[in-house]
Amino acid sequence: MRKPIIAGNWKMYKLLGESIETALALKSLVANTNHCEIIIAPVFTALKTVCDRLEGSNIKVAAQNCSTEQKHGAHTGEVSAEMIKDVGASHIIIGHSERRQFYGETNESVNLKTKACLLFDLTAIVCIGEMLAEREAGNAENVVKSQLIGALEGLTVTDMKRIIIAYEPVWAIGTGKTATPEQAQEMHAFIRQTLSEMNGKEVSETIRILYGGSVKPDNIESLMKQTDIDGALVGGASLEAESFSKIVNYK
Ligand code: PGA
């Protein structure tokens, strides 16, 4: 059985005070939830405080990015996986489509960042997903497959068991256009099949694949009913504790 995961990506939305406020509101709203793992991803400047305030709760904390560099040194503006671990986070979102589109993230950098995560015993949430034009050209599966192969190159079977995949079709992010549960299921099954070809059936059956892209309280349930959807990575609807808690408690 794969335990579901509901993760909230706060992107660059909240100041420190707002991050604390939302985290604490969420903490009390989901205090009795244990059917799924709950993760929130604040900005770097709020990471340590939010980790401290959520210590001992059922909410884990993720960073939204990390450096490709594993060793500390002259890398102005970068934050290493070890530094993220040091302040109490347990996960890192890697290769989000906004980073791929606007900040030069490539399959190679995603691969290096994933390896940095693993080295410091953090769980990488590796994001993949096609653009609208790629889907319309019938290329969605090819794109997703090459992102998977690129991101996971060189990972062992043991490593693979310690990562999470997030499938986020770029055309569904922040647009209000969710993939239908059937469209999402179809791609999740394809991803699981590809993982099985890459690293064997056992890994592919263990690994959790989250769906992301306009997930809301009113569409989460139908998405979660799909066999290969193991959870959600939520942007907009994770910013308010109330709506995110409804997604967390989808059943
Ligand atoms: P959205 O964002 O839920 O606002 O579409 C999802 C994401 O970017 O992870």
Side-chain angles (χ1 to χ4, degrees), residues 9 11 96 98 168 172-174 213-215 233-236:
N9 173 10
K11 307 189 180 185
H96 188 279
E98 284 150 17
E168 302 200 296
I173 296 181
S214 298
V215 174
L233 180 53
V234 186

Side-chain angles (χ1 to χ4, degrees), residues 80-150:
S80 76
E82 189 179 12
M83 290 165 178
I84 290 165
K85 166 117 180 162
D86 186 42
V87 297
S90 51
H91 292 66
I92 306 180
I93 298 172
I94 294 177
H96 188 279
S97 67
E98 284 150 17
R99 298 212 58 83
R100 290 181 189 259
Q101 270 181 286
F102 309 122
Y103 299 98
E105 194 85 82
T106 60
N107 288 337
E108 292 68 34
S109 63
V110 171
N111 181 247
L112 289 171
K113 292 177 181 190
T114 302
K115 287 175 175 161
C117 260
L118 289 164
L119 185 68
F120 294 101
D121 221 9
L122 289 155
T123 303
I125 304 174
V126 179
C127 301
I128 55 175
E130 80 286 358
M131 315 268 284
L132 183 59
E134 293 165 336
R135 176 161 283 258
E136 287 176 345
N139 252 337
E141 290 191 349
N142 287 339
V143 169
V144 163
K145 187 171 185 169
S146 68
Q147 287 175 339
L148 266 181
I149 293 172

Side-chain angles (χ1 to χ4, degrees), residues 16-194:
L16 177 59
E18 296 164 332
S19 304
I20 298 170
E21 202 179 309
T22 311
L24 294 180
L26 183 67
K27 182 178 161 180
S28 57
L29 285 168
V30 301
N32 297 320
T33 301
N34 52 28
H35 67 91
C36 65
E37 287 179 29
I38 308 164
I39 303 168
I40 53 171
V43 289
F44 276 129
T45 49
L47 202 58
K48 176 170 168 27
T49 313
V50 169
C51 285
D52 288 349
R53 303 297 280 267
L54 293 178
E55 214 185 323
S57 77
N58 56 349
I59 306 172
K60 294 176 181 150
V61 181
Q64 299 174 13
N65 183 29
C66 71
S67 177
T68 54
E69 299 292 334
Q70 299 177 349
K71 288 206 189 113
H72 297 159
H75 307 294
T76 304
E78 292 291 285
V79 178
S80 76
E82 189 179 12
M83 290 165 178
I84 290 165
K85 166 117 180 162
D86 186 42
V87 297
S90 51
H91 292 66
I92 306 180
I93 298 172
I94 294 177
H96 188 279
S97 67
E98 284 150 17
R99 298 212 58 83
R100 290 181 189 259
Q101 270 181 286
F102 309 122
Y103 299 98
E105 194 85 82
T106 60
N107 288 337
E108 292 68 34
S109 63
V110 171
N111 181 247
L112 289 171
K113 292 177 181 190
T114 302
K115 287 175 175 161
C117 260
L118 289 164
L119 185 68
F120 294 101
D121 221 9
L122 289 155
T123 303
I125 304 174
V126 179
C127 301
I128 55 175
E130 80 286 358
M131 315 268 284
L132 183 59
E134 293 165 336
R135 176 161 283 258
E136 287 176 345
N139 252 337
E141 290 191 349
N142 287 339
V143 169
V144 163
K145 187 171 185 169
S146 68
Q147 287 175 339
L148 266 181
I149 293 172
L152 307 180
E153 212 236 292
L155 265 63
T156 65
V157 167
T158 319
D159 292 337
M160 294 282 289
K161 289 185 181 164
R162 291 167 46 219
I163 64 162
I164 296 165
I165 302 289
Y167 168 62
E168 302 200 296
V170 179
W171 46 272
I173 296 181
T175 58
K177 261 198 212 169
T178 336
T180 63
E182 295 72 28
Q183 274 176 324
Q185 164 58 26
E186 199 180 355
M187 187 59 92
H188 280 230
F190 173 76
I191 292 168
R192 208 175 295 287
Q193 176 59 33
T194 306

